[in-house]
Amino acid sequence: MIRAYHQPKGIDEALSLLKNGAQAVAGATGLYSNRKKLDGELVDITGLGLDGIEVTKGEIRLGACVTLTKLLEADLPGNEGAFLKLVARHITAHTMRNAITLGGNIAHTVFWADMPVALLALDAKLVIARAGEAEKTVAIADALQGAAPWKGGLIVKIIVPIVQGRTFGYERLSKTKNDYAFVTAAASMKLTDGKAKDVRVVLGAIQPKPFRASDIEAALEGKAVDADALAGAAKSALDLPIAPNFRASADYRRDVTSALVRRAVAQAAGQE
Amino acid sequence: MKFTTTINGVIRDIDCEPGMNLYELLRSLGIKGVKQGCDTEGTCGACTVLIDGEPALSCLTPAPRVAGHEVTTIEALGTPENPHLLQREFVDAGAIQCGFCSPGMILASKALLDRNNNPTHAEIAEALSNNLCRCTGYVKIFDAVKNAAAAMRKEAANGKN
Ligand SMILES: Cc1cc2nc3c(=O)[nH]c(=O)nc-3n(C[C@H](O)[C@H](O)[C@H](O)COP(=O)(O)OP(=O)(O)OC[C@H]3O[C@@H](n4cnc5c(N)ncnc54)[C@H](O)[C@@H]3O)c2cc1C
Ligand code: FES
Ligand code: FES
C-alpha cells in the first residue's frame, strides 16, 4: 500500500525523504503498473526541475525527468542526438512516451529497457545525487553492474558525450512496433583510416540487464569491418548467454541475436 | 490527501487516498467515461484523459499529480444533442462499435487535431498508437479523424473557430 505521496519542490527535501526509505516516482509507468505490490512512501520527483536539456560543445546533458516525448521533440546535435531519438521512438507508444522518463527507464531495470542499451553504446555517464553527499558521476557500464548506485538517492542527469565521427547501428526485433523486444543490438565505433576504433557492441533483452559484448568488441577493435569481420561477429554472438523470455524461445533468439549483431555492426560501419 | 484540481473546467477540492491513480479518482467522482481495458498496465489506452491538453493514461497517473492541473475527460466534449465534431465524425464514419475504446480514441485524436488540423496518416497512427480497438479494425477510426480534421479546416476557413 502507498502510505504517503510526497511532492517536494526542492531536491534537498526529496533526497532526505529518499534517504529515509521513500521510493522515487517519475513517469509512474513502471511503478503504477505494479501498484498493488508497492508498500511505503513515494516521492514525486517531477517537480524538481530535473527536466532540462542542455547542449554544450562536447556533451548532451539530459535531466533525469526528461520524458521520451520531450527527447524526441528536442533539437539534439550530432549522430548521438539522432541515435538517442531512434531508440526512443521504438519504446512503447505515444501516450506512454509522454510519461516515461529517461531516469525511470534506466532505474526500472528490466530486461526490456531500451534506453540503457543506447546509453551503453554512447558511453554515457550518470550523475547521482544523495542526501548529504557531493554529486557523483558514474559510467553507465559500471552503474549497471552490481548494486544500483542510485539506490537511496537519485539519478539527476545523464551525460552523453558527442564524439566527432562516431557512428551507430541499431536493430530491434519485436512482435509489433511497440511490444517488448525479443533482442536489441546496438553498435557504435569511430572509423579511422578504414579501421574501427572504440567499438561498442551492446545487447538488450537477452539477459536481465543490457550488457556490452566485450569479446565481439575486442575482435573488431582496430580492424577493417569487412565481410570476414562481420561473419566473425555474427558467429561469436551465437555464444552469448540467452535467458528465457515469455515472447520467444532462447534458440530462436540466439539466431536472431547473431543476425542483429551483424546488422548493427554493419550499419555502424556505414555498410547497410 | 487534499489538493485542488480542475476537472472538465470545474475547480474541485479533492480528498483521496495517497495511492489512488487518476482513473480511480475520476470514477469515484462519477466520471464514468474513463474505461479500464487492461490490467492497468498501459497497454489499452481506454483510460486516456487529457492533462493540460496532452494525452495521459489515467491508470498510470498518480492522482495527486493532477493538483493544480487541468484534466479533460470525454464528458467535457459534447452532449448527445450537440456532439463535439470528433464525436459526430466517429459516429458518421462507423468508427464506434462497442464504444469501449471511443473516449480514449477521441481524446487522443483531439490532442492531435488541436495542434495539427491537417495530420498525415502516419501522424494519426502515432497519435493513436497507445489506443487499442478490439472491434473496428481501425480503418474507420482513421477515416473519422481525417473527416474531423477536414471539418475543422473548413470551420477555420469560414472563420468560425
Ligand atoms: C506495457 C509496457 C511496455 C513497455 N515496454 C517497454 C519497452 O519495450 N522498452 C522500454 O525501454 N520500456 C518499456 N516500458 C517502460 C518501462 O518498463 C518502464 O515503465 C519505464 O521505463 C519507467 O519509467 P518511468 O519514468 O515511468 O519510471 P517510474 O515508474 O516512475 O519509476 C520506475 C523505477 O525507477 C525509479 N526511478 C525513477 N526515476 C528515477 C531517478 N531519476 N533516479 C533513481 N530512480 C528513479 C523508481 O523509484 C522506480 O523504481 C514499458 C512499460 C509498459 C507499462
Ligand atoms: S486501463 Fe489500460 S492503459 Fe490504462
Ligand atoms: S469500438 Fe469496441 S474496442 Fe473500439
Side-chain angles (χ1 to χ4, degrees), chain B residues 35-38 40 42-45 47 57 59:
Chain B
K35 308 291 179 200
Q36 183 189 333
C38 69
T40 66
T43 49
C44 76
C47 67
L57 299 174
C59 76

Side-chain angles (χ1 to χ4, degrees), chain A residues 152-263:
Chain A
L154 274 186
I155 305 169
V156 288
K157 209 175 276 178
I158 297 118
I159 301 179
V160 174
I162 303 173
V163 181
Q164 272 303 321
R166 185 161 57 156
T167 49
F168 297 89
Y170 187 61
E171 287 288 326
R172 182 184 192 274
L173 186 75
S174 55
K175 244 181 191 165
T176 65
K177 190 168 167 288
N178 50 22
D179 194 17
Y180 306 106
F182 295 125
V183 178
T184 303
S188 68
M189 62 182 66
K190 204 178 151 167
L191 282 179
T192 314
D193 300 328
K195 307 261 165 42
K197 297 273 165 63
D198 298 330
V199 181
R200 302 283 177 267
V201 177
V202 185
L203 275 306
I206 63 172
Q207 282 294 307
K209 292 181 193 177
F211 63 96
R212 281 173 50 184
S214 42
D215 289 350
I216 302 179
E217 290 178 355
L220 292 165
E221 188 68 36
K223 310 253 167 57
V225 185
D226 54 18
D228 281 352
L230 289 175
K235 185 159 181 295
S236 36
L238 292 170
D239 297 330
L240 291 170
I242 314 271
N245 173 298
F246 59 92
R247 282 287 188 273
S249 73
D251 280 347
Y252 169 67
R253 287 160 54 248
R254 180 170 296 111
D255 289 343
V256 171
T257 301
S258 170
L260 297 197
V261 163
R262 198 193 67 76
R263 285 185 206 167

Side-chain angles (χ1 to χ4, degrees), chain A residues 4-163:
Chain A
Y5 192 93
H6 301 282
Q7 293 165 291
K9 286 283 168 269
I11 183 120
D12 290 342
E13 188 189 346
L15 291 176
S16 82
L17 286 161
L18 291 167
K19 190 179 183 178
N20 291 330
Q23 191 172 5
V25 53
T29 63
L31 282 179
Y32 273 53
S33 50
N34 287 295
R35 191 172 47 125
K36 298 272 150 61
K37 289 194 203 130
L38 293 176
D39 189 27
E41 305 196 354
L42 293 183
V43 186
D44 190 323
I45 60 165
T46 58
L48 305 176
L50 297 176
D51 59 350
I53 299 181
E54 207 187 326
V55 177
T56 65
K57 236 187 350 219
E59 286 172 353
I60 304 174
R61 299 167 147 258
L62 303 157
C65 289
V66 167
T67 63
L68 297 178
T69 297
K70 181 160 180 177
L71 183 82
L72 285 166
E73 289 174 354
D75 207 357
L76 300 177
N79 291 345
E80 283 80 5
F83 178 61
L84 278 166
K85 289 188 187 192
L86 174 68
V87 175
R89 233 188 334 269
H90 286 81
I91 300 177
T92 71
H94 181 71
T95 312
M96 289 275 286
R97 287 197 291 268
N98 287 347
I100 296 174
T101 66
L102 295 175
N105 198 250
I106 298 165
H108 191 66
T109 324
V110 279
F111 73 81
W112 60 81
D114 285 311
M115 222 10 113
V117 177
L119 297 175
L120 281 168
L122 285 157
D123 276 336
K125 286 174 281 190
L126 306 181
V127 180
I128 311 276
R130 201 180 285 283
E133 292 176 27
E135 281 187 358
K136 108 183 143 183
T137 304
V138 187
I140 178 89
D142 298 332
L144 290 175
Q145 270 168 18
W150 54 82
K151 267 257 165 315
L154 274 186
I155 305 169
V156 288
K157 209 175 276 178
I158 297 118
I159 301 179
V160 174
I162 303 173
V163 181

